[in-house]
Amino acid sequence: MTEILDGEALAAEVREGLVAAIERLADAGARPTLATVLMSEDPASETYVSMKQDDCAEVGIEARDIEIDPDAPAGELYDTVDDLNADPEVNGVLVQMPVPDHVDKRRVLRRIDPAKDVDGFHPENVGRLVAGDARFKPCTPHGIQKLLAEAGVDPEGKDAVVVGRSDIVGKPMANLLMQKTEGGNATVTVCHSRTDDLAAKTRGADILVAAAGAPGMIDGDMLSEGAVVVDVGVNRVDADTEKGYELVGDVDFESAREKARAITPVPGGVGPMTRAMLLYNTVKATAQDAGVDVDLP
Ligand code: NDP
């Protein structure tokens, strides 16, 4: 029987653990606050930000919602980040990507105070992750690490193949899997659009993480029997639904589940864990700011 890795259920457990940590912080006079900054009218970005705010409300994190006109000068975003960095009541700062073309994305990421960088994208935090001393693990790969642990999948000694090398998923995922620490110790191969004979690589995977943004590109033929398959992809494809589309992953679920020992569904796998780990990082940032020890789930 193929195990379906239930991200919704695990995310609910993580949130429950965070509520306890937030109560402990409240006893110490600290209330976690996450500021989200949206400089876009893209409906998907608006949805992501509003979901993050709903998640905060559910666990007792205060959410500050800042919207900047996408046509405003880039300086307005930089100044907003500076203000949030300087605000002692704000523990986490997240700028929703993508930002408009006239804004220098790297400059934005560098500007966020690394201690408030709950996405974990500031170069200092990227460096710390690579050095095995992570302050904030990026939410998606961190959530995947938790999903694997929950399913009893120990990457140690396994061949892990990550398809995708983005800064937000592929690279940090590969890094976490190869770290000399619990949840790591895998032998990692990173594939991308220039990889020759992708199927030969994916068939060698004990653990496959698909993060390419290409609907259904990994099918059962590209997997070996008993692989653990993590599907990060969230792709809109035309469908005869009310909205005119549906969300599918990078993995062809039906053929992959025939081979896989365990697999994440889309939706309901990685996505909810990504959201939960943002809350986790915000609580962690608050505990660090307040100098309070809390147990994190
Ligand atoms: P990017 O577009 O930034 O990166 C995609 C990566 O996949 C690139 O490295 C690209 O290679 C590689 N790639 C693309 N097509 C192929 C292919 N046919 N064969 C091999 N490699 C390929 O995407 P993200 O990392 O931001 O996101 C990936 C997917 O995950 C998207 O569907 C996104 O929506 C989803 N996502 C889901 C999250 C969740 O919580 N569930 C969170 C974040 C993302 P190259 O570098 O050569 O261009």
Side-chain angles (χ1 to χ4, degrees), residues 173-186:
M173 184 77 260
N175 254 298
L176 286 177
L177 286 167
M178 74 171 193
Q179 289 294 330
K180 196 169 181 177
T181 182
E182 212 183 317
N185 289 312

Side-chain angles (χ1 to χ4, degrees), residues 207-223:
I207 299 170
L208 178 86
V209 180
M217 67 170 288
I218 308 282
D219 64 16
D221 282 345
M222 296 173 74
L223 299 170

Side-chain angles (χ1 to χ4, degrees), residues 48 105 121 139-141 144 162-171 190-195 198 210-215 217-218 222 231-236 248-250 265-266 269-275:
Y48 287 140
K105 172 187 156 183
F121 298 156
C139 303
T140 300
I144 292 169
V162 179
V163 183
R165 56 175 166 183
S166 72
D167 292 339
I168 64 167
V169 188
K171 281 183 198 163
V190 181
C191 302
H192 44 76
S193 66
R194 314 291 167 88
T195 295
L198 180 67
M217 67 170 288
I218 308 282
M222 296 173 74
D231 190 354
V232 185
V234 179
N235 309 292
R236 270 188 192 194
V248 301
D250 289 350
V266 176
V270 175
M273 289 305 295
T274 297
R275 290 166 57 183

Side-chain angles (χ1 to χ4, degrees), residues 11 25 47 59 70 98 108 110 127 136 165 172 180 185-186 195 199 201 218 226 236 240 256 278 283 287:
L25 284 168
T47 305
V59 297
V108 175
R110 280 200 305 269
F136 301 117
R165 56 175 166 183
K180 196 169 181 177
N185 289 312
T195 295
K201 314 289 188 294
I218 308 282
R236 270 188 192 194
D240 192 12
L278 174 65
V283 173

